[in-house]
């Protein structure tokens, strides 16, 4: 009797094994990677997606630098972004200091945007960065590292490392008396050409 029970158990076990799917064979174990893993470093030679680094040199970040005089923007962070883009593109940086309250600042924007040759020259040679100066935010700590400003807008030309090269009082670039209110194209273009980076032949 006992033999019959054992025989039946073996038959049942055999049938179950035959009906159950075959177990997958495990992949051979891979050796553990013990090489030193270095953290990723942003390459200033290439634009990167917004947010990957505090100095993301992508199109949106660069466009934001010159969008408007915004008291909420951080000029230290903006300058870090401008430096990455200036190095990537072989450009210089212009700090355009002013405010939304400043009529001459808006005239300067309209003057540049309305002249395709000057706008194209600016975009090829400069990273243009607005720095707000207003009652809401004078950005005093940031601007204290530069010479005193006697009128707005005021332009500071920096190299790609953020070193000051030139301080430009824009009153010297305005149109002559008797001309419509605005900027003198010849003088303004000469200023931009004088401080543009030297291009390789």
């Amino acid at each position: 009797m006992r033999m019959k029970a054992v025989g039946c158990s073996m038959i049942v076990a055999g049938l179950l094994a035959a009906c159950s799917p075959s177990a997958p064979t495990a992949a051979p174990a891979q050796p553990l990677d013990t090489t030193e893993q270095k953290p990723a470093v942003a390459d200033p030679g290439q634009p990167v997606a917004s947010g990957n680094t505090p100095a993301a040199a992508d199109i949106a970040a660069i466009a934001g630098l010159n969008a408007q005089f915004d008291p909420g923007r951080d000029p230290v962070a903006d300058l870090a972004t401008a430096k990455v883009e200036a190095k990537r593109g072989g450009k210089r940086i212009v700090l355009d200091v002013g405010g939304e309250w400043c009529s001459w600042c808006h005239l300067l924007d309209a003057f540049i945007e309305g002249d395709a040759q000057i706008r194209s020259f600016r975009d090829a040679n400069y990273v243009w960065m607005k720095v707000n100066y207003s009652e809401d935010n004078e950005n005093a700590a940031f601007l204290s590292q530069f010479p005193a400003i006697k009128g707005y807008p005021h332009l500071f030309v920096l190299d790609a490392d953020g070193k000051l090269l030139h301080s430009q009082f824009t009153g010297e670039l305005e149109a002559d008396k008797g001309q419509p209110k605005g900027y003198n194209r010849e003088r303004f273009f000469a200023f931009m050409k004088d401080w543009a980076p030297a291009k390789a032949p």
Side-chain angles (χ1 to χ4, degrees):
M1 194 74 169
R2 187 175 286 189
M3 288 293 276
K4 273 189 182 179
V6 171
C8 287
S9 296
M10 289 180 69
I11 291 170
V12 171
L15 288 173
L16 287 174
C19 293
S20 60
S22 59
T25 56
Q30 296 295 319
L32 184 64
D33 182 4
T34 57
T35 57
E36 181 184 355
Q37 300 296 313
K38 295 184 180 176
V41 177
D43 178 5
Q46 295 295 324
V48 293
S50 293
N52 286 356
T53 166
D58 67 332
I59 295 168
I62 299 309
L65 297 178
N66 189 31
Q68 65 181 14
F69 295 102
D70 181 353
R73 288 189 74 95
D74 177 2
V76 174
D78 282 351
L79 183 56
T81 300
K83 288 194 282 191
V84 171
E85 176 64 10
K87 288 175 186 174
R88 186 186 71 81
K91 300 177 182 182
R92 289 199 168 149
I93 301 165
V94 170
L95 303 183
D96 178 1
V97 185
E100 291 301 309
W101 53 267
C102 166
S103 62
W104 280 94
C105 299
H106 293 293
L107 281 172
L108 179 58
D109 287 343
F111 169 74
I112 295 172
E113 291 305 316
D115 190 312
Q117 188 180 13
I118 287 180
R119 189 175 66 251
S120 176
F121 187 85
R122 175 200 66 187
D123 294 344
N125 293 281
Y126 296 98
V127 177
W128 205 272
M129 175 185 148
K130 286 189 162 91
V131 179
N132 182 78
Y133 178 88
S134 67
E135 289 180 359
D136 294 327
N137 186 355
E138 294 183 353
N139 281 307
F142 178 78
L143 292 172
S144 67
Q145 63 189 305
F146 300 105
I149 295 172
K150 58 182 180 179
Y152 298 91
H154 190 91
L155 306 177
F156 292 114
V157 181
L158 314 179
D159 69 11
D161 292 316
K163 178 186 170 192
L164 178 66
L165 300 175
H166 179 69
S167 176
Q168 180 64 54
F169 171 55
T170 56
E172 297 169 350
L173 306 176
E174 291 174 9
D176 296 323
K177 288 182 181 176
Q179 298 294 315
K181 186 177 178 181
Y183 292 89
N184 179 289
R185 187 181 193 277
E186 186 178 316
R187 283 197 292 270
F188 191 86
F189 212 171
F191 152 72
M192 292 188 70
K193 288 177 178 176
D194 286 347
W195 293 101
K199 296 291 182 186

